[in-house]
Amino acid sequence: MELLILIIHDAQQMDEILVKMMEAGIRGGTLLDCKGVLQAVAGTDLEKPPVFSSLRQYLNPDADTNKLLLAAMTAENIEKTHSIVTAVTGGLQKANTGVFLTLPLGYTDGVRG
């Protein structure tokens, strides 16, 4: 079993990913709203770091939150999910698209499939 950590910038894309995962028989997980560091810094009254002004052109502080999916799954389902994510997003190499990570799980309880 592996833990999938998937962060997608576009909430509509995450919705599509989840539907396609369910259609492929991949179920379960937890979906959370999250913010990137630059989004969080943009929303504070603190003095911004010097690099912030140059990054501001890439940042929309009023944008919706990102979506974070945590799901324990088999290596086979990780591969299927990665294919789905690539098909929906056009690939995560594009800036501000998302992040796909996995971590090995040594022990699980209450995880199905």
Side-chain angles (χ1 to χ4, degrees):
M1 293 293 274
E2 297 184 50
L3 176 65
L4 169 65
I5 303 167
L6 175 62
I7 302 169
I8 297 294
H9 182 70
D10 183 331
Q12 290 179 331
Q13 285 184 337
M14 181 61 91
D15 292 343
E16 187 177 346
I17 290 166
L18 294 172
V19 167
K20 289 184 181 295
M21 287 173 62
M22 291 183 76
E23 289 172 349
I26 304 168
R27 292 173 174 41
T30 300
L31 188 64
L32 304 168
D33 291 335
C34 62
K35 286 183 182 182
V37 172
L38 291 177
Q39 287 173 308
V41 170
T44 69
D45 292 332
L46 301 174
E47 185 175 328
K48 310 297 189 261
V51 72
F52 185 79
S53 60
S54 64
L55 294 174
R56 182 123 179 114
Q57 63 183 327
Y58 301 106
L59 174 67
N60 181 0
D62 298 323
D64 292 332
T65 55
N66 300 324
K67 298 294 180 181
L68 167 66
L69 175 64
L70 300 172
M73 58 180 71
T74 63
E76 178 184 343
N77 283 345
I78 292 286
E79 290 179 27
K80 288 180 187 177
T81 301
H82 188 258
S83 294
I84 290 167
V85 169
T86 300
V88 170
T89 64
L92 298 178
Q93 331 51 322
K94 297 186 299 185
N96 298 319
T97 304
V99 177
F100 188 107
L101 306 167
T102 65
L103 298 171
L105 295 176
Y107 181 85
T108 61
D109 188 10
V111 177
R112 310 285 184 270

